[in-house]
Amino acid sequence: MKITLLITGIVANCLIVGAGILLAPASVAQNAGSLRPAESFQSIPDTRARSVALFEEAGKVIQHPRCVNCHPATERPLQGMSMHPHQPPVFRGDAGMGLVGMQCNTCHSEQNTPVVGQADTLKSIPGNPAWHLAPIEMAWEGKTLGQICEQLKDPKRNGEKTMAEMVEHMAHDELVGWGWQPGEGREPVPGTQDEFGKLIQAWVDTGAACPSP
Amino acid sequence: MVTFTLNGKERTFDGDPDTPLLWVIRDLEKLTGTKYGCGVAQCGACTVHLDGMPRRSCITPIAMIDGSDVVTIEGISGKEAEAVQTAWAGLDVPQCGYCQSGQIMSAVALLQMLPKPTDDEIDGAMTGNLCRCATYHRIRAAIHNAANSMEG
Ligand code: FES
Ligand code: FES
């Protein structure tokens, strides 16, 4: 808390230096992990146990900060591998696109854009044509994987999606896909979107069982 | 070659496509009202209007604005801009002034979208514009004054 207050004070008092201090150290762009192929779970004989194991593997993506940061439980998105509140302070607004006068596209554009002439701590500003926050009913921040799993199956909290639509969303949605292409200086989520989509498909095919909450 | 409109005049830029719009505005077009504060979208000093919406020019690659309309503090016009100018002068809003071009660009954009903003709406729109002189209280009052002056 003291550190937060200190940083807030620095920002208020120092326009230029304060801004630099707020930037988290860049995480080096590298694939921090891979995903086990969906087929490899065939070795688990019990269907329910296999389904849970498949979802737990997919959870490496779902619970990665790259995904959770834009599924916040409050009105404010998170940032970075440390999942700190987004700086500058921005809020959900209409359709998750930010408040009037401070919408996401004040800074974010349709693609990741390089930051030039600056310290190495910030290499790019992330962007995507669909850049916005997930609706509050789809919040993942602070939830267990089991809770997120139940949420994904609940039409009231998954955007009224059928499970087939959920698979399609996970496997092909462009903003979901940003997680694997997060721009220079950001760690991508593990594996590939194709592998992730296959895990979700196999999870649904095995009854979409959830880990205990 | 990038072609865009800057304060109503057609301009072209033929150089590195990653060049920030802010550098083009200040170094090539010599319009120095738009300020460089942080260069990383953290302070708002570089705010311009891109196709009518506020945009941080420091992190806007010039290649992105091909065909767009850019307005800076030097070219801002219309009833909201006039109301803001009068209100700013009336309350002596600036202290050192460094952040004020960005503050004014954000304030004018806000009033164009919300003619009578509440305190919360002002805070929401202005939260990305830092002021090291802490003129925030006068900025908020001046936006209310500008909104009131446009009524009727
Ligand atoms: S200079 Fe662009 S936001 Fe600070
Ligand atoms: S008036 Fe000095 S930084 Fe705002």
Side-chain angles (χ1 to χ4, degrees), chain A residues 11-20 22-23 79 87-91 99-111 113-118 122 125, chain B residues 18-20 23 36-43 45 53-56 59 61 64 98-99 106 110 113-114 120-121 124-128 130-134 136:
Chain A
V11 173
N13 287 305
C14 188
L15 189 65
I16 300 164
V17 179
L22 279 167
L23 299 168
Q79 247 178 349
Q87 289 291 356
V90 291
F91 300 89
L99 297 176
V100 173
M102 193 59 183
Q103 291 187 300
C104 307
N105 65 7
T106 307
C107 299
H108 298 278
S109 59
E110 297 199 343
Q111 64 226 3
T113 48
V115 169
V116 298
Q118 295 296 331
L122 182 66
I125 305 281
Chain B
D18 286 341
T19 307
W23 299 10
Y36 177 107
C38 65
V40 289
Q42 292 289 314
C43 77
M53 298 291 282
R55 174 83 198 173
R56 303 293 186 254
I59 45 87
M64 205 186 99
Y98 198 82
C99 71
S106 291
L110 169 65
M113 291 181 274
L114 290 177
D120 282 350
E121 286 164 341
M126 304 300 292
T127 181
L130 300 186
C131 175
R132 65 188 289 177
C133 304
Y136 302 111

Side-chain angles (χ1 to χ4, degrees), chain A residues 35-93:
Chain A
L35 291 176
R36 259 183 76 186
E39 318 76 85
S40 72
F41 289 81
Q42 294 293 352
S43 58
I44 305 175
D46 179 70
T47 312
R48 192 176 187 286
R50 194 183 329 139
S51 195
V52 169
L54 284 159
F55 192 80
E56 284 172 345
E57 188 65 12
K60 288 184 190 167
V61 171
I62 291 167
Q63 289 195 300
H64 193 283
R66 266 322 58 88
C67 294
V68 177
N69 284 353
C70 290
H71 282 258
T74 71
E75 293 300 289
R76 191 162 168 191
L78 306 171
Q79 247 178 349
M81 292 302 282
S82 65
M83 305 177 73
H84 57 271
H86 187 289
Q87 289 291 356
V90 291
F91 300 89
R92 184 180 299 278

Side-chain angles (χ1 to χ4, degrees), chain A residues 1-9:
Chain A
M1 181 49 116
K2 265 192 190 140
I3 292 171
T4 313
L5 288 175
L6 177 65
I7 291 179
T8 309

Side-chain angles (χ1 to χ4, degrees), chain B:
Chain B
M1 174 85 82
V2 177
T3 304
F4 60 103
T5 311
L6 181 60
N7 297 334
K9 295 196 190 96
E10 189 173 298
R11 313 300 299 167
T12 56
F13 175 82
D14 193 9
D16 188 331
D18 286 341
T19 307
L21 171 61
L22 175 64
W23 299 10
V24 175
I25 290 170
R26 288 183 55 86
D27 297 351
L28 300 176
E29 299 293 338
K30 308 293 184 200
L31 295 176
T32 53
T34 306
K35 299 297 187 233
Y36 177 107
C38 65
V40 289
Q42 292 289 314
C43 77
C46 67
T47 306
V48 299
H49 292 181
L50 180 63
D51 295 326
M53 298 291 282
R55 174 83 198 173
R56 303 293 186 254
S57 61
C58 67
I59 45 87
T60 303
I62 194 76
M64 205 186 99
I65 67 149
D66 193 33
S68 292
D69 181 42
V70 179
V71 174
T72 68
I73 188 77
E74 290 89 349
I76 191 90
S77 61
K79 71 174 167 54
E80 292 84 5
E82 283 165 27
V84 163
Q85 187 174 22
T86 306
W88 244 246
L91 285 180
D92 260 340
V93 173
Q95 188 161 320
C96 81
Y98 198 82
C99 71
Q100 295 291 324
S101 155
Q103 304 283 2
I104 288 168
M105 296 308 281
S106 291
V108 170
L110 169 65
L111 290 169
Q112 286 169 345
M113 291 181 274
L114 290 177
K116 189 87 172 127
T118 62
D119 278 351
D120 282 350
E121 286 164 341
I122 292 173
D123 291 351
M126 304 300 292
T127 181
N129 287 88
L130 300 186
C131 175
R132 65 188 289 177
C133 304
T135 63
Y136 302 111
H137 55 302
R138 291 201 294 275
I139 289 170
R140 188 201 263 179
I143 292 174
H144 282 306
N145 285 359
N148 291 337
S149 76
M150 288 191 302
E151 271 184 327

